[in-house]
Amino acid sequence: MESVAKLYIRAKPFLAVTLLQSIYAGMEIIFKFALNQGMSQHVVIVYRYAVATVVTAPFAIVLDRKVRPKLTFSLFAKIFFLGLLEPVIDQNLYYTGVKYTTATFGSAMCNVLPAFAFLMAWICGLEKVSIRRLHSQAKILGTIVTVGGAMLMTLFSGPMLKLPWTNRNTHQKFTNAANEQDHIKGGLMVIAGSVCWSGFIILQAITLRSYPAELSLTVLICLMGTLENIIVAVVIERGNPTAWSIHLDTKLLAALYGGIVASGIAYCLQGAIIKERGPIFVTAFGPLTMVLVAIMGSFILSEMISLGRVIGAVVIVVGLYLVVWGKSKDGHEHLITSTSDSPNVAEVLVVPTKAQHMATTNHAITLTSTTSSNQDQIVAIDHPSQNSSL
């Protein structure tokens, strides 16, 4: 029995991260199914963020009551732009892109997020790169490979792979054929959304320096995103009041699943995994969502998979793991140098997790600052901890 217990303890993080990726995959399938049924992605995003706000607010009120700083005008401006970048621009672009393509395509493209975040952090001066170091070369090469894979998926389709079970259901073949005509537009929308999400990650890292109450920040961003998305949805869906109607249908399921399961439950689960094994562990399992979506999409949505998309997805995954490997070496170096005598440490290490397009600000950020006594201090947010358990 003792050996079984030890085996369970070792396997628990892997079971948890598999469950997490399954939750994300379920979200992709439910949203795509609802989109195929004519659901307005702009309206359901409003409902989803409203649900996420209501679900997470009580936890933020209780858990962050001792660490929540005052909300200044500067912080409010940052939260405004955070809500604009991810909940509004990214979400609307992403799900519109998925509407034009497939759930598998959107899920595969999400794996470019770490590369885009690294590139944007480098441009903003938050990421130091030394060309002579192997891990820096891996991050640069991984970014190039990832972007190349994304362009390959967008511009090249190739022959369709014939799966026996997809031939039995012709319900969505016409939908897929129509979507295929817009796969370039959809791909560009997903990529543009990923760029906005990367900007969100960078701004979030900066905001958490002065507002370390992460759960409260999540609620404020969700609330701001809800209000901003209402304006967007009202403008886009003007003259179409039926788009706002709620029934016992896929729209309600998408809103509740996205707000409660993919935001509330997944947020807590991901936080526990990150504390136990670190952000790199979660990011490394990101491609599992793509595989699960491809399998479920072919069964449930009868989505056709093309050879070009498969090759592009493989290229993206290779680039992703190059970036992840480089980031893991960065984290090791930061931990080693954090106890040095240098008085001018001010690094921001950004390691995006599979927070892709969730209605929460899941993150894994390590801020390294300098105290007044010139001793380096590491402030870890969702960082591995030996005292925490999953």
Side-chain angles (χ1 to χ4, degrees):
M1 291 296 295
E2 185 177 354
S3 60
V4 175
K6 289 182 178 179
L7 180 62
Y8 171 73
I9 292 174
R10 292 180 181 178
K12 191 160 56 171
F14 295 93
L15 296 175
V17 78
T18 301
L19 175 61
L20 180 67
Q21 303 306 327
S22 300
I23 290 174
Y24 293 145
M27 181 181 66
E28 297 290 339
I29 296 299
I30 291 173
F31 264 76
K32 178 58 178 175
F33 184 82
L35 290 171
N36 287 348
Q37 298 299 315
M39 176 190 72
S40 169
Q41 65 271 27
H42 312 293
V43 173
V44 78
I45 290 172
V46 174
Y47 291 140
R48 174 185 171 181
Y49 275 86
V51 172
T53 303
V54 173
V55 169
T56 55
F59 296 98
I61 294 172
V62 174
L63 299 177
D64 284 348
R65 64 185 183 276
K66 295 182 180 180
V67 297
R68 188 186 304 112
K70 293 183 179 180
L71 187 63
T72 63
F73 178 78
S74 175
L75 283 173
F76 178 81
K78 292 175 183 176
I79 292 171
F80 173 84
F81 285 107
L82 283 170
L84 190 64
L85 281 172
E86 206 281 329
V88 178
I89 302 177
D90 170 38
Q91 288 281 294
N92 282 278
L93 284 175
Y94 175 76
Y95 283 113
T96 303
V98 169
K99 191 172 186 177
Y100 287 143
T101 55
T102 65
T104 304
F105 181 89
S107 179
M109 294 293 282
C110 285
N111 290 294
V112 307
L113 297 176
F116 282 170
F118 156 71
L119 184 62
M120 194 164 293
W122 185 13
I123 294 173
C124 295
L126 299 177
E127 181 88 21
K128 289 188 176 180
V129 176
S130 177
I131 302 298
R132 296 182 180 180
R133 294 181 179 270
L134 182 60
H135 62 86
S136 292
Q137 295 172 0
K139 288 187 292 184
I140 295 173
L141 179 61
T143 301
I144 296 173
V145 171
T146 300
V147 174
M151 298 308 297
L152 179 62
M153 283 194 68
T154 303
L155 300 176
F156 177 67
S157 179
M160 293 293 176
L161 300 180
K162 294 183 178 180
L163 302 176
W165 53 86
T166 57
N167 294 330
R168 301 174 187 173
N169 188 354
T170 60
H171 175 67
Q172 289 187 343
K173 285 188 177 180
F174 297 105
T175 302
N176 289 336
N179 288 341
E180 188 66 25
Q181 297 175 359
D182 296 318
H183 74 276
I184 294 180
K185 180 197 289 187
L188 293 176
M189 284 185 172
V190 173
I191 292 175
S194 299
V195 173
C196 293
W197 188 90
S198 301
F200 167 84
I201 286 293
I202 302 303
L203 182 57
Q204 183 192 46
I206 297 172
T207 305
L208 282 167
R209 288 173 171 177
S210 55
Y211 197 87
E214 55 178 292
L215 197 53
S216 296
L217 182 61
T218 294
V219 175
L220 290 173
I221 293 174
C222 287
L223 177 60
M224 184 64 69
T226 301
L227 298 176
E228 293 172 346
N229 270 308
I230 288 175
I231 298 174
V232 173
V234 167
V235 172
I236 295 178
E237 298 295 341
R238 62 185 181 278
N240 184 23
T242 57
W244 295 88
S245 60
I246 289 289
H247 305 285
L248 294 177
D249 54 12
T250 53
K251 182 193 296 184
L252 179 61
L253 177 62
L256 294 178
Y257 186 93
I260 298 175
V261 181
S263 296
I265 296 176
Y267 179 85
C268 298
L269 182 60
Q270 179 167 279
I273 299 171
I274 288 174
K275 288 180 180 179
E276 175 72 15
R277 299 299 295 265
I280 300 295
F281 181 80
V282 179
T283 307
F285 278 83
L288 179 60
T289 298
M290 175 184 65
V291 176
L292 293 175
V293 170
I295 295 173
M296 290 191 294
S298 63
F299 276 101
I300 300 173
L301 304 174
S302 296
E303 290 186 347
M304 304 297 292
I305 303 175
S306 67
L307 179 61
R309 303 285 170 79
V310 172
I311 295 174
V314 171
V315 173
I316 288 176
V317 171
V318 171
L320 167 68
Y321 282 124
L322 284 172
V323 175
V324 169
W325 181 84
K327 292 301 301 180
S328 67
K329 297 301 179 182
D330 271 351
H332 180 67
E333 285 195 1
H334 279 290
L335 291 177
I336 292 176
T337 58
S338 63
T339 55
S340 65
D341 295 328
S342 173
N344 296 316
V345 179
E347 299 291 337
V348 179
L349 175 62
V350 181
V351 186
T353 64
K354 187 69 176 179
Q356 79 206 39
H357 311 296
M358 287 181 59
T360 57
T361 55
N362 296 340
H363 50 267
I365 302 169
T366 301
L367 305 181
T368 307
S369 60
T370 305
T371 62
S372 57
S373 61
N374 291 337
Q375 292 179 345
D376 297 335
Q377 176 184 12
I378 295 181
V379 183
I381 302 173
D382 282 348
H383 197 268
S385 172
Q386 294 180 350
N387 298 325
S388 61
S389 60
L390 181 62

